[in-house]
Amino acid sequence: MHTIPSNTSGQKSSEQAILTIESRLHKMQQTLPLPAFSPAQREAQHRAQRVHVRDLWFMATLLSACILSIAACFHFFQQHQILLYIDAYSHIRIARSVIDSTNPGIAQLGTVWLPLPHVFMLPFIWNMYLWRTGLAGSIVSMICYVITALYLYLSARRLTNRRILSYLGALVFLLNPNILYLQSTPLSELVGICTMTMTCYYFLSWVQEERPKLLILCAACTFLATLARYESWILLLALCVLIVVIGWQKHHSWSQIRGNLVLFGVFAAFGIALWLLWNQVIFGNALAFQNGPYSAKAAQLEFLRAGTLYTYHNWWLSVKTYTLTVTETVGPLLFALAALALLLFCIQERCSPVALTMLVFLSIFGFEVLSLYTGQTVIWLPGVLKDTGMKLFNVRYGTEMVVPVALLLTILVNNGCRLLHKRWHALIQIVFTIAVTIQTVLIVTHGIITLQDGLYGLSCTPSHPLNMYLAQHYAGGKILQDVTAGDYNLVDTGIDLKNVIYNGSADLWQQALAHPETTVEWVIDPNKNPIHQHVESPTFKRQFTLVVQEPGGLRLYHHIGRPQLPSRTVSNDMLTDHRLCH
């Protein structure tokens, strides 16, 4: 009877001893020094923990982008306004030439325009309907529109950490009428905006988290951007400078800064290196896109000789022109608010890494101003100069600033929410949404300038009697055409590109120029060399007869002695698509 209590007492003592040891170990564990995490690392850890949480506002951005994209494209397609621009025709022709031409292959991607937009069109351009309607290029722009909206949302979320405000900021881009029109066309602006927005997002992510993976993603997106639009070339330079500056601000070692610079630069600059190599191998001049006969520089010389390159070597007029273009694109109300947001942001953040990151988003403004000053770009906007009678021209370049404006407005609203009590946040968001909606309605009411440029600006492709004649009477045979001269395009006629001999037809082009009577049945004379000098020869006039003479000088010749031409009824669309051009 006495041994049992003794054993029980010993057992209790042992259990108490174990509990005492465990409690002491627990206290020691609480007092052990924790590993040091920087604020950026802690934020990255929290963000990684939240990644599994479904972001409903991200899904709302995706859904809104898809609905708006399809609705806008359907509207402009029904209005026959997808292929208003001369450049829109050229983009889909280049993409189609890779698979359908007298000399198909990747060399048809050309030298002046960067290749990525045309490469993206290849999965769709093979379809005859998508090609002739321009939808093959519209699909690419629409996809880029949706992706841009998502990366804009993600960028705004990183800057504000507020999802609903990030969605409202994305609406600035999504609802912009000029963006909605361009995303419905085969133009290359949306591809450039998309790749540059992705680049800026990953750079912002790297600045906040400093993970090498994010810098590599930034380099990959920069690689794509440099093959989409030349504006991104200055983006690459800005990123290289900021990698050094921000690394110095964060007290990184010079070896780490150099490593980051090499890691980024090698991948990011590879696109430019490929383009230079392409021009050297295909055209024998690495800078053919810059100083070749079909380059933008050569085109601007005509404006310079005519005295209409108004911004050339004029800083004030260059800044004024692009500033007013951006204002017309986003609307005066949103532009004024964005300018205020930029001022307050610079005062608040000063030269912090995040503030410097915003320079990446804004670098396009500096590029466009520099291009205007050096004569690489021309923008005509009525109101910039008085009594010049200028039309709209290249005003679509202002759309490249819509994403930065949307980010600045998101930051402005976020700062307002921080300053005011939480009960006012809903009111601020409602007021901001109303402001965006009102500005959208005002832009549509006063005219979408990117659409107006296509309807009756200098970018418009006028209706050609020559197109009408070929659509009615063409019955086969090769056509000789200089695609670099004038604003004429054969897409509307329904003629396959494999029947067109043009500047990209290699030896066949030279053969057709020298002996058109044995090579082609049709000759389109733009009243410019090199075709025009052959048209004037007596031998040519004995073999060909003039069938169409346009007031602008464009002429169509048909080979004498061929079978009688048929007569077909053409679509009414050919009579109305470009009726406002003048």
Side-chain angles (χ1 to χ4, degrees):
M1 295 295 295
H2 297 286
T3 59
I4 295 175
S6 175
N7 292 339
T8 303
S9 176
Q11 183 178 2
K12 287 182 179 181
S13 300
S14 300
E15 290 177 353
Q16 289 177 355
I18 293 172
L19 290 174
T20 302
I21 294 172
E22 288 180 349
S23 63
R24 289 180 179 177
L25 287 173
H26 180 68
K27 290 180 180 179
M28 289 176 62
Q29 184 179 12
Q30 290 180 335
T31 58
L32 286 173
L34 295 175
F37 289 100
S38 67
Q41 290 172 322
R42 285 196 297 270
E43 177 62 23
Q45 187 180 38
H46 294 323
R47 193 176 292 110
Q49 293 172 354
R50 296 195 301 265
V51 75
H52 300 292
V53 180
R54 180 175 297 177
D55 188 345
L56 296 180
W57 287 108
F58 178 86
M59 300 303 297
T61 303
L62 174 61
L63 183 62
S64 300
C66 292
I67 292 173
L68 288 169
S69 178
I70 295 172
C73 186
F74 178 79
H75 169 75
F76 291 117
F77 179 74
Q78 291 295 316
Q79 299 297 317
H80 306 290
Q81 293 173 340
I82 287 179
L83 288 175
L84 294 177
Y85 277 72
I86 299 171
D87 289 353
Y89 278 101
S90 297
H91 284 302
I92 60 173
R93 182 195 59 77
I94 290 173
R96 178 76 182 187
S97 297
V98 175
I99 61 173
D100 176 22
S101 65
T102 56
N103 189 32
I106 61 171
Q108 296 297 328
L109 291 173
T111 178
V112 178
W113 275 319
L114 288 163
L116 191 64
H118 311 124
V119 172
F120 283 170
M121 292 182 195
L122 292 179
F124 313 103
I125 204 70
W126 61 268
N127 183 275
M128 192 66 68
Y129 178 78
L130 295 179
W131 171 50
R132 298 210 184 282
T133 58
L135 288 174
S138 299
I139 293 172
V140 173
S141 296
M142 292 166 69
I143 294 173
C144 289
Y145 168 82
V146 174
I147 295 174
T148 302
L150 297 178
Y151 274 93
L152 172 58
Y153 171 86
L154 294 173
S155 299
R157 193 179 68 180
R158 277 190 171 274
L159 290 170
T160 65
N161 202 29
R162 294 174 184 263
R163 296 177 181 179
I164 185 172
L165 292 187
S166 302
Y167 172 75
L168 296 179
L171 285 182
V172 176
F173 172 83
L174 289 172
L175 294 176
N176 185 277
N178 291 287
I179 291 291
L180 285 170
Y181 173 67
L182 290 184
Q183 71 94 40
S184 306
T185 71
L187 295 167
S188 63
E189 273 67 27
L190 262 298
V191 179
I193 292 172
C194 175
T195 52
M196 287 187 284
T197 303
M198 293 167 63
T199 297
C200 294
Y201 166 75
Y202 284 116
F203 185 74
L204 172 63
S205 303
W206 175 76
V207 169
Q208 291 181 334
E209 299 184 21
E210 300 182 21
R211 289 191 292 162
K213 174 184 175 181
L214 296 172
L215 192 60
I216 293 174
L217 288 172
C218 177
C221 293
T222 306
F223 166 79
L224 294 176
T226 55
L227 292 175
R229 298 280 301 183
Y230 289 107
E231 290 89 336
S232 61
W233 289 26
I234 198 171
L235 183 66
L236 169 61
L237 178 61
L239 289 171
C240 290
V241 173
L242 289 178
I243 286 173
V244 176
V245 174
I246 292 175
W248 175 76
Q249 283 185 328
K250 293 188 173 185
H251 305 291
H252 293 167
S253 65
W254 283 111
S255 61
Q256 183 178 355
I257 293 175
R258 287 195 301 269
N260 289 333
L261 192 59
V262 171
L263 178 66
F264 171 80
V266 169
F267 290 104
F270 189 54
I272 297 178
L274 282 179
W275 189 237
L276 294 174
L277 180 62
W278 168 274
N279 279 265
Q280 181 63 44
V281 172
I282 302 296
F283 304 99
N285 179 10
L287 297 177
F289 63 92
Q290 167 64 21
N291 54 28
Y294 311 124
S295 64
K297 181 179 179 180
Q300 310 313 342
L301 284 176
E302 296 185 13
F303 293 107
L304 187 61
R305 294 190 188 102
T308 56
L309 199 59
Y310 304 110
T311 59
Y312 184 66
H313 285 183
N314 188 323
W315 280 116
W316 163 243
L317 204 54
S318 298
V319 173
K320 179 182 178 182
T321 297
Y322 193 64
T323 301
L324 291 179
T325 302
V326 176
T327 303
E328 289 290 331
T329 301
V330 302
L333 175 60
L334 297 186
F335 181 83
L337 291 175
L340 175 62
L342 179 60
L343 177 63
L344 295 177
F345 183 77
C346 291
I347 295 174
Q348 179 182 359
E349 296 290 339
R350 298 182 181 178
C351 292
S352 68
V354 174
L356 293 177
T357 304
M358 280 300 299
L359 292 178
V360 180
F361 289 93
L362 296 169
S363 62
I364 304 304
F365 188 95
F367 174 88
E368 293 296 349
V369 171
L370 180 62
S371 298
L372 288 169
Y373 175 80
T374 57
Q376 295 291 324
T377 300
V378 55
I379 296 177
W380 289 357
L381 185 68
V384 175
L385 293 175
K386 296 181 180 179
D387 303 325
T388 58
M390 67 170 64
K391 298 181 180 181
L392 290 168
F393 185 46
N394 284 341
V395 292
R396 64 186 186 274
Y397 295 163
T399 56
E400 294 167 343
M401 289 300 297
V402 175
V403 168
V405 166
L407 278 178
L408 289 171
L409 292 175
T410 307
I411 293 172
L412 180 66
V413 176
N414 182 58
N415 289 336
C417 290
R418 285 180 176 179
L419 293 175
L420 298 177
H421 192 273
K422 188 175 182 179
R423 66 185 178 206
W424 295 102
H425 290 185
L427 178 61
I428 294 174
Q429 295 163 10
I430 292 172
V431 171
F432 178 65
T433 305
I434 292 174
V436 173
T437 304
I438 290 175
Q439 186 64 88
T440 300
V441 173
L442 289 175
I443 291 175
V444 174
T445 303
H446 290 89
I448 305 171
I449 59 170
T450 52
L451 175 59
Q452 290 176 334
D453 190 7
L455 286 172
Y456 50 80
L458 199 61
S459 299
C460 180
T461 306
S463 297
H464 283 284
L466 195 152
N467 263 2
M468 188 68 62
Y469 184 90
L470 286 173
Q472 289 177 316
H473 304 297
Y474 178 77
K478 299 295 185 183
I479 301 173
L480 179 61
Q481 180 198 7
D482 182 358
V483 297
T484 65
D487 54 13
Y488 178 74
N489 201 292
L490 283 167
V491 174
D492 289 337
T493 63
I495 298 172
D496 292 337
L497 292 183
K498 63 177 175 289
N499 292 321
V500 181
I501 298 176
Y502 67 106
N503 316 62
S505 299
D507 294 339
L508 196 56
W509 164 253
Q510 297 298 332
Q511 179 183 343
L513 283 178
H515 304 286
E517 67 280 356
T518 61
T519 311
V520 300
E521 291 192 20
W522 304 83
V523 175
I524 300 173
D525 174 25
N527 201 25
K528 295 180 180 180
N529 287 335
I531 292 179
H532 185 66
Q533 62 182 353
H534 296 277
V535 168
E536 293 300 312
S537 68
T539 303
F540 180 87
K541 291 181 178 180
R542 287 195 299 267
Q543 298 290 336
F544 289 85
T545 181
L546 179 66
V547 292
V548 177
Q549 169 76 63
E550 293 192 3
L554 193 65
R555 292 180 288 184
L556 176 65
Y557 292 88
H558 184 237
H559 203 295
I560 297 173
R562 295 299 189 260
Q564 185 177 359
L565 298 174
S567 183
R568 293 182 292 267
T569 302
V570 299
S571 171
N572 291 330
D573 295 345
M574 293 189 65
L575 300 173
T576 60
D577 279 4
H578 313 288
R579 62 191 181 278
L580 297 179
C581 282
H582 58 277

